[in-house]
């Protein structure tokens, strides 16, 4: 068979796929066992290894240890032990004690975090490290850490007791609405097999009482080098480890099939909405021959085509659901599933289920059209260029619907906040669809799709001024319509171009009477189509192209942004042109869909105890300001769709107020003409629209409490949980703020490290702690002070929340009196330095840096100068311990709750015992 693009493939011609080489093959030809582009082998001790050299990012290595030991190997009295072993690996080994592994990783600039370095599943446990390797000893030391995990984890009674509280807190955190729904779904899917009984998180009673001897026996039995593999980017030396010659055989646990579908109506009072999940289970496909590979591509095309239909149905009048998607997922070693899931309005699960099943049946009866398959092929081709895709027919794709039969180990589940449907209702829907399929279901009704995004190409603008900034490696163009464009050519990724445009002036400029409607502008306009076409239509028009774009209207700025392939830069810029030249008009259908979705979101938030927690935080911090007040269902009736769309249109109308930064693999000889045509071609209105001076922007309308507050928010919950947030206000004076901002960032990392050391590693009572910095609540004035906050967040057992708050405050008081140690500061600087080094090799980093330079307080027309002033160079800060200590001494206690909450308050000197404000949720 010859693999060349088909002559009749108009979409392939239209989107200009790269030429594909002539290939001859036999479908039954077996694929090679040797992984492509990877050094692969097995050491004398039985350990498998996979090594691949990769030069980007420079001087970094990604390492992983994969162990074929998961929760399915546990006996009843061991439920949760595989996960406990994962925790203990980072806690204590033969060479490292008291979480010294974590200290080592952070000392070399490798980040450690919850769910970041290891994961335990039913079939395996995987440990991951991302480390710098610019010094010869770092790689070998990092690999030695993996070697410790493999055979040297120490499981003493003391080690287990220290880590037991952290595991319990992770268990407790999993017992929220989402966790309960996931666990119930897993049990339903795996019914009849051991997998159903072995959730990786385990049982609470086992976590609380399991002995160190039991944990040790599990570790010694299943952690065998013959059942492990190391995956590395970089050189990989032999660990010289020895292993027992006869490790136990890892048993297989089949999941029985069933012809009759299984049904479940799951009621979750704290659910974030109503949903339907339909799963079709089957054995995992083996990838051994070229035919198998072609089948894998056919499967992907089928899912792409089905998802196209689901999306279009979700955007019709009175849609059956708000969103719906289908995917293939490997559940456990012997089992995979096609999973269709939808979110719908309250009391809408039966309608959603019926629509989902009808659509699959429609494909079985009528198949996909040639155009639908061409679009799916183009979408997949933009992700993976493969000649095989051109030779997969519409018939082959459509036949995949035969695998989605309710007689094929099907599981149907609904999720609702209260009982609106029953299992008998679900059974009746299945029977109804079966009868409809026998009587015939009408074919899919396709809509007419325009060929071109911009029907009439604009006349190009011209360059009024051009500046070169050598320290940035960037060029700035001032166009004839007033738009300022800065581009930087990089070679970090061959297939990436990023861009963001911004203009000052946003929602803070609006009076309270207009705020509600205008704040809904982006949502309503997005549903209608901000680029001149409905989203469902634009999706087909962009098939085969790698282009993403979006808009945001914030408090002080309006922005548009995008990500595209260099070959699709023209399309991306066409979308920007369409954004500025389209007048979005509210249609009845689109507005109705938006309001229905908004109403369901509000209802879900009203059921969620964490939303009650967050709303009380905002009320305390912002004085019940309308800008931060939660939207109620009654508020939706006050929204004026016409006003919302008019405001959105005005936000992206005047190009002279926008600065655009473009970073990536740009060829200026091709890129500049496109910039001139589609950005320079945006017409400038005769009168300025939303033209604001950054120094005259209105501040957000809120006030902060004048005294320190300590409050507990109580909310009914299915299972007792507690979240705590401590907030410390920050105020940076205009004269010293550039340097101070850097030290506030260092301080946040120091606090996060110390909270983990005290609350988890020492007392073992939390799973993780995070520290966030918010300095963006102030308007973008070049002369005003910067105000914001640092907040500490963690979850814990409600019974000990006050104790942990006091421990946290004690540690902060100690830091205020004694300051951080040299080792603490050295670790922070190393982490920052390594992050900085990695960032210098990423387009996103440079895009952000250049944008920050334009938005800098020192910017006055020369972005090169402001970039130099804003440049962060970490390692010369030899007096950093003094500086950071100074920040701690001058940062005092304040109230806050809920992660990422933007509180702005004046610094207040507070005495010990008065300066904490923790808000928790419990039962």
């Amino acid at each position: 068979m010859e693999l060349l693009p088909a002559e009749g493939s108009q979409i392939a011609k239209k989107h200009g796929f790269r030429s594909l080489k002539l290939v001859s093959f036999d479908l039954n030809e077996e694929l090679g066992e040797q992984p492509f582009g990877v050094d692969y082998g097995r050491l004398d001790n039985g350990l498998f290894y996979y090594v691949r050299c990769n030069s980007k990012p420079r001087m970094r290595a990604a390492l992983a240890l994969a162990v074929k030991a998961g929760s399915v190997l546990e006996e009843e009295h061991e439920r949760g032990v595989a996960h406990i072993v994962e925790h203990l690996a980072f806690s204590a080994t033969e060479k490292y004690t008291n979480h010294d592994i974590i200290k080592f990783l952070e000392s070399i600039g490798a980040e450690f975090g919850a769910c970041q370095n290891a994961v335990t599943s039913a079939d395996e446990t995987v440990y991951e490290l991302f480390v710098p390797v610019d010094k010869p000893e770092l790689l070998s030391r990092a690999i030695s850490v993996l070697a410790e995990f493999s055979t040297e984890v120490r499981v003493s009674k003391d080690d287990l007791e220290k880590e037991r509280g952290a595991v319990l807190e992770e268990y407790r955190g999993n017992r929220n609405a989402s966790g309960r729904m996931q666990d119930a779904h897993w049990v339903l899917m795996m019914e009849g097999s051991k997998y159903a009984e072995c959730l990786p998180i385990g049982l609470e009673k086992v976590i609380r009482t399991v002995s160190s001897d039991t944990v040790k026996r599990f570790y010694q039995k299943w952690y065998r080098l013959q059942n492990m593999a190391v995956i590395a980017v970089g050189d990989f030396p032999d660990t010289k480890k020895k292993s027992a010659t006869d490790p136990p055989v890892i048993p297989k646990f089949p999941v029985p099939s069933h012809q009759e579908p299984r049904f479940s109506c799951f009621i979750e009072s704290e659910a974030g909405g109503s949903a339907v999940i339909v799963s079709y289970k089957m054995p995992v496909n083996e990838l051994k021959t070229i035919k198998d590979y072609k089948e894998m591509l056919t499967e992907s095309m089928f899912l792409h085509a089905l998802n196209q239909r689901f999306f279009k149905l979700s955007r019709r009048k009175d849609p059956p659901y708000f969103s719906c998607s289908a995917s293939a997922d490997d559940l456990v070693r012997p089992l995979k599933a096609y999973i269709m899931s939808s979110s719908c309005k309250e009391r809408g699960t039966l309608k959603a289920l019926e629509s989902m099943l009808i659509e699959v049946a429609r494909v079985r009866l009528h198949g996909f059209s040639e155009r639908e398959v061409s679009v799916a092929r183009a979408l997949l081709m933009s992700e993976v260029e493969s000649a095989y895709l051109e030779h997969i027919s519409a018939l082959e794709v459509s036949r995949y619907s035969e695998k989605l039969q309710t007689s094929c180990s099907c599981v149907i589940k609904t999720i609702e906040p209260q009982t609106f449907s029953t299992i008998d209702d679900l059974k009746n829907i299945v029977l109804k669809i079966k009868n409809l399929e026998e009587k015939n279901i009408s074919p899919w009704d396709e809509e007419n799709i325009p060929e071109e995004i911009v029907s009439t190409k604009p006349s190009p603008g011209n360059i009024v001024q051009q500046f070169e900034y050598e320290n940035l490696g960037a060029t700035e163009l001032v166009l004839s319509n007033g738009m300022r464009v800065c581009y930087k050519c990089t070679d970090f990724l061959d297939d990436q171009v990023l861009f963001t445009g911004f203009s000052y002036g946003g929602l803070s400029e609006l009076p309270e009477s207009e705020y509600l409607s205008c704040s809904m502008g982006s949502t309503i306009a997005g549903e209608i189509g901000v680029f001149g076409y409905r989203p469902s239509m634009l999706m087909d028009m962009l098939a085969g192209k790698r282009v993403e774009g979006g808009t945001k209207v914030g408090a002080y700025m309006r922005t548009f942004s995008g990500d595209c392939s260099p070959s699709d830069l023209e399309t991306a810029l066409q979308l920007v042109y369409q954004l500025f030249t389209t007048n979005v008009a509210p249609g009845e259908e689109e507005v109705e869909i938006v309001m229905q979705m908004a109403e369901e979101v509000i209802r879900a938030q009203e059921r969620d105890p964490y939303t009650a927690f967050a709303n009380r935080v905002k009320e305390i911090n912002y004085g019940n300001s309308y800008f931060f007040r939660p939207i109620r269902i009654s508020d939706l009736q006050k929204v004026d769709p016409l006003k919302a769309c008019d405001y959105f249109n005005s936000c992206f109308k005047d190009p002279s107020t926008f600065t655009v930064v473009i970073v990536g693999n740009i060829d200026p000889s091709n890129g500049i003409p496109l910039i001139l045509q589609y950005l320079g071609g945006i017409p400038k209105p005769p009168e300025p629209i939303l033209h604001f001076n950054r120094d005259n922007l209105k501040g957000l309308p809120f006030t902060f409490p004048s005294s320190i507050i300590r409050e507990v928010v109580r909310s009914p919950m299915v299972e007792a949980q507690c979240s705590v947030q401590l907030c410390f206000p920050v105020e940076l004076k205009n004269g010293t703020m550039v340097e101070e901002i850097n030290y506030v960032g260092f301080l946040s990392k120091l606090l996060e490290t110390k909270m983990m050391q005290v609350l988890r590693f020492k007392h073992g009572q939390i799973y993780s702690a995070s520290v966030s910095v918010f300095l963006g609540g102030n308007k973008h004035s070049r002369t005003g002070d910067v105000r914001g906050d640092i907040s500490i967040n963690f979850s814990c057992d409600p019974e000990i929340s006050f104790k942990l708050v006091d421990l946290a405050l004690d540690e902060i008081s100690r830091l205020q009196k004694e300051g951080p140690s040299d080792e603490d500061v050295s670790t922070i600087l190393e982490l920052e330095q390594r992050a900085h080094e990695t960032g210098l090799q990423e387009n996103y980093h440079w895009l952000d840096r250049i944008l920050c330079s334009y938005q800098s307080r020192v910017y006055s027309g020369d972005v090169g100068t402001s970039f130099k002033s804003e440049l962060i160079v970490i390692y010369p800060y030899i007096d950093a311990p003094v500086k950071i200590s100074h920040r701690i001494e001058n940062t005092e206690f304040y109230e806050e709750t809920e992660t990422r909450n933007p509180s702005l308050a004046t610094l207040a000197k507070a005495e010990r015992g008065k300066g904490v404000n923790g808000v928790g949720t419990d039962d």
Side-chain angles (χ1 to χ4, degrees):
M1 183 182 295
E2 295 180 351
L3 293 187
L4 289 174
E7 288 297 323
S9 179
Q10 293 301 312
I11 289 184
K13 291 180 180 178
K14 173 183 172 183
H15 296 307
F17 295 142
R18 300 176 181 87
S19 60
L20 300 170
K21 295 181 179 179
L22 181 69
V23 178
S24 297
F25 66 92
D26 176 3
L27 283 177
N28 295 317
E29 179 183 345
E30 291 191 359
L31 301 173
E33 292 186 3
Q34 179 74 22
F36 180 77
V38 175
D39 290 332
Y40 159 81
R42 193 172 191 181
L43 303 178
D44 292 340
N45 58 20
L47 180 71
F48 292 93
Y49 66 87
Y50 301 80
V51 179
R52 177 166 181 165
C53 295
N54 190 351
S55 60
K56 295 181 180 180
R58 294 186 298 272
M59 295 291 105
R60 295 294 184 273
L63 309 174
L65 175 69
V67 186
K68 288 183 180 179
S71 59
V72 76
L73 298 177
E74 298 167 349
E75 300 301 330
E76 183 66 21
H77 66 285
E78 297 174 322
R79 298 272 298 275
V81 167
H83 180 230
I84 290 174
V85 169
E86 174 215 308
H87 271 250
L88 291 174
F90 288 94
S91 173
T93 66
E94 292 303 317
K95 290 184 180 178
Y96 298 91
T97 62
N98 196 28
H99 297 91
D100 285 342
I101 283 180
I102 298 171
K103 295 176 183 176
F104 158 69
L105 293 174
E106 292 184 334
S107 72
I108 65 172
E111 292 277 1
F112 172 82
C115 303
Q116 181 174 314
N117 296 92
V119 61
T120 301
S121 67
D123 287 316
E124 64 185 8
T125 304
V126 179
Y127 302 88
E128 297 180 336
L129 304 176
F130 183 70
V131 296
V133 291
D134 51 351
K135 299 175 184 178
E137 71 276 7
L138 294 184
L139 179 60
S140 61
R141 289 192 66 184
I143 290 175
S144 74
V145 169
L146 297 184
E148 291 287 296
F149 294 160
S150 67
T151 60
E152 306 296 336
V153 174
R154 194 183 68 192
V155 188
S156 70
K157 183 178 179 180
D158 288 343
D159 296 330
L160 179 59
E161 291 307 316
K162 287 181 180 178
E163 198 63 23
R164 201 187 296 271
V167 180
L168 278 169
E169 185 52 42
E170 186 175 358
Y171 173 88
R172 184 181 293 105
N174 189 58
R175 300 305 300 162
N176 55 17
S178 176
R180 289 191 293 271
M181 290 186 289
Q182 290 175 4
D183 290 354
H185 187 66
W186 175 268
V187 172
L188 183 66
M189 290 284 286
M190 299 299 162
E191 184 178 323
S193 75
K194 189 179 180 185
Y195 285 104
E197 306 166 1
C198 297
L199 289 162
I201 195 63
L203 299 177
E204 182 179 6
K205 66 178 181 180
V206 173
I207 298 172
R208 288 187 181 278
T209 63
V210 68
S211 68
S212 58
D213 289 339
T214 299
V215 177
K216 183 178 292 186
R217 280 194 297 270
F218 181 91
Y219 176 69
Q220 292 176 342
K221 180 178 181 179
W222 298 114
Y223 270 60
R224 301 298 183 96
L225 294 177
Q226 291 91 335
N227 297 327
M228 300 182 189
V230 167
I231 302 93
V233 176
D235 296 329
F236 178 72
D238 191 342
T239 61
K240 304 300 182 185
K241 289 284 179 184
K242 296 182 180 181
S243 186
T245 56
D246 296 314
V249 176
I250 295 180
K252 295 181 179 179
F253 301 98
V255 181
S257 60
H258 48 94
Q259 288 190 339
E260 292 298 319
R262 293 174 182 162
F263 301 93
S264 173
C265 295
F266 190 80
I267 306 303
E268 173 53 65
S269 61
E270 297 173 11
S274 299
V276 178
I277 303 173
V278 182
S279 306
Y280 306 88
K281 300 179 292 184
M282 61 202 67
V284 171
N285 296 347
E286 291 188 331
L287 189 59
K288 290 186 174 181
T289 66
I290 292 177
K291 182 180 180 181
D292 295 334
Y293 176 66
K294 183 184 176 185
E295 283 294 305
M296 182 183 72
L297 295 176
T298 306
E299 173 187 273
S300 295
M301 289 178 64
F302 168 76
L303 294 171
H304 273 78
L306 186 60
N307 282 329
Q308 297 280 307
R309 286 197 180 181
F310 285 155
F311 181 75
K312 291 175 181 178
L313 284 170
S314 72
R315 293 305 178 262
R316 291 185 176 179
K317 185 177 182 180
D318 191 23
Y321 38 69
F322 299 130
S323 66
C324 183
S325 64
S327 62
D329 189 14
D330 289 347
L331 301 177
V332 292
R333 190 163 287 131
L335 190 71
K336 67 175 288 185
Y338 295 118
I339 301 174
M340 302 189 303
S341 58
S342 67
S343 62
C344 58
K345 62 184 178 182
E346 200 168 90
R347 302 175 185 268
T349 54
L350 297 180
K351 182 179 179 180
L353 173 62
E354 181 175 335
S355 177
M356 295 160 72
L357 296 181
I358 280 181
E359 216 45 57
V360 176
R362 195 192 313 275
V363 177
R364 278 197 294 269
L365 286 172
H366 304 289
F368 291 114
S369 69
E370 290 291 341
R371 175 170 181 82
E372 285 180 293
V373 173
S374 294
V375 170
R377 181 182 294 113
L379 287 168
L380 192 56
M381 189 76 83
S382 68
E383 300 172 10
V384 51
E385 293 183 1
S386 173
Y388 299 95
L389 288 168
E390 290 292 342
H391 295 271
I392 298 173
S393 67
L395 180 60
E396 289 175 293
V397 175
S398 301
R399 281 176 179 166
Y400 250 81
S401 60
E402 297 295 333
K403 297 177 181 288
L404 276 65
Q405 301 266 17
T406 54
S407 59
C408 299
S409 296
C410 180
V411 177
I412 297 175
K413 175 182 177 181
T414 61
I415 300 172
E416 296 177 304
Q418 54 183 300
T419 303
F420 296 121
S421 58
T422 66
I423 288 179
D424 285 341
D425 293 331
L426 305 185
K427 290 180 177 179
N428 290 335
I429 294 292
V430 171
L431 182 61
K432 178 181 178 180
I433 303 305
K434 184 178 180 180
N435 293 333
L436 280 175
E437 191 168 355
E438 292 174 353
K439 296 177 182 178
N440 205 352
I441 297 172
S442 61
W444 176 256
D445 184 20
E446 289 196 81
E447 60 181 343
N448 189 30
I449 305 299
E451 289 294 320
E452 300 294 336
I453 293 175
V454 177
S455 55
T456 303
K457 293 188 176 181
S459 300
N462 57 282
I463 300 172
V464 176
Q465 290 179 294
Q466 180 169 333
F467 305 95
E468 302 291 338
Y469 298 106
E470 293 184 2
N471 60 332
L472 268 171
T475 300
E476 182 183 84
L477 310 175
V478 180
L479 307 183
S480 50
N481 60 4
M483 182 175 280
R484 192 178 298 266
V485 179
C486 178
Y487 68 87
K488 178 179 175 64
C489 305
T490 71
D491 60 357
F492 305 138
L493 293 173
D494 294 338
D495 197 45
Q496 186 180 70
V497 176
L498 308 174
F499 61 89
T500 295
F502 74 92
S503 177
Y504 289 111
L507 296 171
S508 74
E509 302 299 319
L510 298 169
E512 182 175 357
S513 60
E514 298 181 9
Y515 172 76
L516 181 61
S517 292
C518 294
S519 66
M520 292 285 290
S522 294
T523 305
I524 296 174
E527 194 62 37
I528 297 169
V530 300
F531 302 114
Y533 304 93
R534 295 195 312 276
S536 59
M537 184 178 293
L538 185 64
M539 181 174 57
D540 281 358
M541 297 173 70
L542 295 178
K545 295 181 176 292
R546 199 183 70 74
V547 179
E548 296 178 3
T551 63
K552 179 181 179 181
V553 179
Y556 300 114
M557 278 195 288
R558 296 154 280 136
T559 60
F560 62 84
S561 58
D563 179 351
C564 68
S565 172
S567 59
D568 297 323
L569 179 60
E570 180 174 11
T571 301
L573 296 182
Q574 285 178 337
L575 293 180
V576 176
Y577 176 80
Q578 288 289 104
L579 173 65
F580 278 80
T581 56
T582 296
N583 282 313
V584 180
E588 182 179 346
E589 291 183 14
E590 293 88 354
V591 171
E592 183 179 355
I593 291 173
V594 170
M595 292 307 173
Q596 286 181 355
M597 294 175 67
E599 184 173 333
E600 289 302 314
V601 169
I602 293 171
R603 291 188 190 279
Q605 290 176 343
E606 290 175 347
R607 292 189 296 268
D608 180 22
Y610 292 97
T611 300
F613 181 66
N615 290 343
R616 177 54 181 157
V617 171
K618 293 175 183 178
E619 184 180 355
I620 293 172
N621 285 355
Y622 308 125
N624 201 26
S625 166
Y626 70 85
F627 201 88
F628 298 98
R629 192 182 304 144
I631 297 178
R632 305 299 182 189
I633 291 179
S634 58
D635 294 328
L636 296 179
Q637 301 171 359
K638 305 173 185 177
V639 173
D640 182 343
L642 182 60
K643 182 182 290 293
C645 289
D646 285 345
Y647 176 72
F648 181 86
N649 290 332
S650 66
C651 286
F652 301 96
K653 190 63 66 178
D654 188 346
S656 68
T657 68
F658 277 81
T659 297
V660 183
V661 177
I662 307 174
V663 177
N665 187 16
I666 308 164
D667 179 357
S669 63
N670 295 327
I672 291 178
L674 297 175
I675 289 171
L676 293 179
Q677 182 162 44
Y678 295 110
L679 299 185
I682 298 172
K684 181 180 179 180
E687 297 294 331
I689 299 176
L690 299 187
H691 197 293
F692 294 98
N693 184 317
R694 63 181 292 181
D695 293 323
N696 297 326
L697 297 177
K698 294 181 180 178
L700 296 181
F702 59 83
T703 56
F704 286 92
S706 57
S707 62
I708 297 163
I709 300 172
R710 181 169 186 161
E711 182 170 330
V712 174
V713 176
R714 298 187 181 276
S715 180
M717 301 184 75
V718 175
E719 298 189 37
Q721 295 190 339
C722 178
S723 288
V724 176
Q725 185 174 87
L726 312 177
C727 183
F728 310 89
V730 174
E731 184 173 7
L732 306 179
K733 298 298 182 181
N734 186 40
T736 59
M737 70 176 57
V738 173
E739 185 183 43
E740 291 282 279
I741 286 174
N742 296 336
Y743 291 123
V744 169
F746 297 159
L747 173 59
S748 69
K749 184 59 187 176
L750 172 69
L751 289 174
E752 186 170 283
T753 300
K754 289 302 180 183
M755 292 302 105
M756 286 291 286
Q757 288 177 358
V758 173
L759 301 183
R760 177 173 175 177
F761 301 158
K762 183 177 180 180
H763 293 278
Q765 296 297 337
I766 68 167
Y767 175 52
S768 65
S770 64
V771 175
S772 57
V773 176
F774 181 81
L775 297 176
N778 58 291
K779 58 184 182 180
H780 289 264
S781 166
R782 282 173 286 201
T783 57
D785 296 338
V786 170
R787 295 185 300 163
D789 63 67
I790 299 176
S791 60
I792 299 172
N793 315 276
F794 58 86
S795 62
C796 64
D797 183 341
E799 297 297 325
I800 61 171
S801 58
F802 289 109
K803 172 186 173 182
L804 297 188
V805 165
D806 288 339
L807 288 173
L809 291 175
D810 286 342
E811 179 62 16
I812 292 170
S813 295
R814 188 194 66 78
L815 286 170
Q816 288 177 321
K817 294 175 182 177
E818 302 175 10
S821 68
D822 291 344
E823 181 182 0
D824 290 334
V825 175
S826 176
T827 296
I828 294 167
L829 296 182
E830 186 71 18
L831 287 167
E832 294 292 336
Q833 176 66 25
R834 295 303 188 180
H836 179 68
E837 291 171 356
T838 302
L840 292 176
Q841 304 171 61
E842 296 175 346
N843 289 323
Y844 279 105
H845 174 84
W846 281 103
L847 178 70
D848 183 64
R849 292 288 300 281
I850 296 173
L851 285 170
C852 287
S853 297
Y854 274 108
Q855 296 164 13
S856 167
R857 288 173 169 252
V858 300
Y859 175 72
S860 58
D862 187 329
V863 72
T865 299
S866 60
F867 174 80
K868 184 177 180 180
S869 299
E870 292 287 322
L871 185 62
I872 302 174
V873 182
I874 298 168
Y875 49 85
Y877 288 151
I878 56 175
D879 60 342
V882 177
K883 297 280 188 177
I884 295 176
S885 297
H886 177 73
R887 285 291 344 144
I888 295 172
E889 183 181 348
N890 288 279
T891 302
E892 296 302 332
F893 309 128
Y894 176 61
E895 184 279 337
E896 194 172 0
T897 51
E898 215 267 344
T899 309
R900 294 185 302 128
N901 186 48
S903 91
L904 304 175
T906 306
L907 277 172
K909 194 74 176 175
E911 297 177 5
R912 173 69 183 95
K914 297 181 179 179
V916 58
N917 295 275
V919 180
T921 58
D922 61 22
D923 60 343

